[in-house]
Amino acid sequence: MEIVSSDDQEFQIQEACSTSHLTFKAPSARNPLIRQRSGTFAGFTEIEGNRTAGTPAKQEIKEEELQEKEKIKKLLNERRKFSRQNKWGNCSYKDLIVAAIESSPSKKMTLNEIYEWIVKNIQYFKNDSDTNSSVAWKNSVRHNLSLHPIFQKEPPQTGGSRSIGSYWKIDRSKDRAKGRGRAKTLPMQDLQSARVRRTDKPPTGRKSKSKVTKTGQQRRDSTPYNDSSIKKSSHTAMVDDNPMNELNSEFFKMGHPSTVATSSVRPPIAVPDDGDEQVTIQVRVPYEAFRLYREGNYNICILPKNHRELRQYSKAVSMGYSPV
DNA sequence: AATAATAAACAAG
DNA sequence: CTTGTTTATTATT
Ligand SMILES: [Mg+2]
């Protein structure tokens, strides 16, 4: 059990995770799953304080430009905690947006200005400013602006006939705090409200790279319906009569990271030849899986022992594996 | 296990 | 169509 304190409240996690076995019928591999402890308290994003603008007072414009280029080079090349090797360099969309906005003298930018900065300054996006493929990364930019509390917008402006949207600014005080247990302003994905799964619509999300397992089984695509006549929509909906709702809202003010934990299991699966072929099943532990109650000054969060396993189980079955 | 990328529904203008 | 929010999934570390 962990106790974590934030500015004004404390809460505990009790068995926010559990260990259990998921056994699938496997002709050749029949070891029971033994999974490690999961769903531990999330760590927090390292804040890059050292990229803050150094406010060069009186420099020649040319020199400033050179400095700016150096900064970008550093941003793309240096590895930081959690950084990935993206097509454009070792920085995240969030990093790019921060760099863009900070490069502006007024320290604020409209969405379109952010796009333009990226296209102008990041090689990878240069030939990609107005093509079909730009739709995807621009979507990601918007996603990141909305998602991260560090990005805040001023009241919307109007420019001529069409709206230019808002000016986006950096507010570091709203970024996730460094270290465990400090006051947190969490990204939206850590702040999901009480929703339940709706099964009448196909899901959205990232597509699987490998669509076929070694068993030859067709893996379910995350967006299996190309048929545009099938209307897709988010497949969750609020449940008004969830008795947890009241507690939920309080709970989420504290932004409990464990509610977004994903976990993987590697159950033995059916393979034709021999093999301990295993598959990773990622599931998101949904909010409603948790049982919450209050005890004194604490909100107690319990993930019922079997819940994660049940979700993994049903997902495995939907992928074509047969349980024992 | 945790973070980040990617896809897409949906709303408002 | 653009801007913005949110959910949901997989990939990468
Ligand atoms: Mg934001």
Side-chain angles (χ1 to χ4, degrees):
Chain A
M1 169 163 63
E2 293 173 77
I3 302 180
V4 183
S5 61
S6 65
D7 270 1
D8 45 13
Q9 291 192 74
E10 293 196 321
F11 59 90
Q12 303 179 340
I13 309 164
Q14 256 186 18
E15 305 209 359
C17 52
S18 57
T19 305
S20 77
H21 298 244
L22 240 196
T23 311
F24 285 77
K25 183 185 285 175
S28 42
R30 53 187 65 77
N31 296 335
L33 166 75
I34 298 171
R35 189 169 48 65
Q36 289 179 328
R37 189 172 182 276
S38 62
T40 48
F41 201 86
F44 298 99
T45 318
E46 187 109 60
I47 293 173
E48 294 302 307
N50 46 12
R51 277 206 321 282
T52 315
T55 336
K58 288 184 181 178
Q59 303 264 0
E60 285 186 31
I61 297 171
K62 220 174 187 180
E63 205 166 313
E64 270 182 36
E65 268 177 24
L66 278 174
Q67 279 191 357
E68 180 69 18
K69 280 199 171 164
E70 274 309 303
K71 232 190 243 178
I72 293 167
K73 216 167 153 186
K74 236 174 118 180
L75 179 68
L76 295 180
N77 293 327
E78 272 182 9
R79 299 304 302 272
R80 291 165 300 283
K81 204 189 261 188
F82 303 124
S83 70
R84 291 190 189 178
Q85 300 175 78
N86 290 315
K87 302 283 178 69
W88 56 88
N90 300 324
C91 74
S92 64
Y93 282 113
K94 183 181 172 187
D95 293 331
L96 287 180
I97 297 166
V98 168
I101 296 174
E102 283 188 337
S103 77
S104 151
S106 54
K107 306 295 178 202
K108 59 184 185 182
M109 269 188 182
T110 63
L111 175 64
N112 199 50
E113 285 168 349
I114 294 168
Y115 291 158
E116 284 170 349
W117 185 93
I118 289 173
V119 169
K120 179 168 177 286
N121 292 284
I122 312 296
Q123 183 59 45
Y124 176 78
F125 297 100
K126 276 191 175 155
N127 44 12
D128 222 6
S129 58
D130 203 31
T131 63
N132 262 344
S133 55
S134 75
V135 171
W137 68 261
K138 286 177 178 174
N139 186 9
S140 290
V141 168
R142 295 194 304 279
H143 169 79
N144 275 265
L145 283 169
S146 278
L147 182 66
H148 299 290
I150 192 176
F151 303 123
Q152 296 289 325
K153 53 182 170 39
E154 281 185 351
Q157 315 284 307
T158 306
S161 53
R162 83 188 212 309
S163 166
I164 63 168
S166 302
Y167 277 104
W168 290 92
K169 302 175 80 171
I170 305 291
D171 184 350
R172 291 190 184 276
S173 74
K174 291 193 172 55
D175 201 4
R176 300 180 79 171
K178 193 182 199 171
R180 292 159 72 96
R182 288 308 307 154
K184 298 173 286 291
T185 308
L186 294 163
M188 282 311 297
Q189 286 201 324
D190 289 350
L191 294 166
Q192 289 186 41
S193 46
R195 282 158 194 271
V196 294
R197 195 174 187 80
R198 214 169 80 190
T199 54
D200 58 327
K201 297 285 168 31
T204 65
R206 193 162 175 157
K207 288 181 177 70
S208 199
K209 230 175 191 179
S210 53
K211 294 208 193 312
V212 179
T213 69
K214 290 218 173 111
T215 68
Q217 279 172 310
Q218 201 66 31
R219 200 169 275 179
R220 173 175 156 280
D221 195 290
S222 59
T223 54
Y225 302 105
N226 291 323
D227 186 347
S228 60
S229 67
I230 298 175
K231 186 165 168 56
K232 290 180 241 178
S233 70
S234 18
H235 56 163
T236 54
M238 271 295 243
V239 179
D240 293 327
D241 60 355
N242 186 334
M244 295 296 176
N245 276 355
E246 200 187 317
L247 237 181
N248 289 349
S249 59
E250 182 122 353
F251 187 71
F252 275 94
K253 276 178 194 161
M254 296 190 294
H256 199 302
S258 65
T259 56
V260 295
T262 57
S263 74
S264 308
V265 286
R266 293 178 171 78
I269 61 166
V271 281
D273 15 288
D274 169 86
D276 295 12
E277 190 59 35
Q278 294 188 323
V279 67
T280 297
I281 300 177
Q282 283 189 63
V283 294
R284 192 185 182 97
V285 176
Y287 173 72
E288 72 273 17
F290 291 84
R291 298 288 176 270
L292 308 175
Y293 63 90
R294 203 197 310 268
E295 196 179 282
N297 292 325
Y298 298 106
N299 284 333
I300 311 294
C301 164
I302 293 178
L303 179 62
K305 209 166 185 225
N306 294 330
H307 197 97
R308 189 191 309 261
E309 285 68 26
L310 283 171
R311 289 188 74 86
Q312 286 167 328
Y313 178 93
S314 61
K315 183 168 180 177
V317 170
S318 79
M319 291 167 81
Y321 303 115
S322 40
V324 173

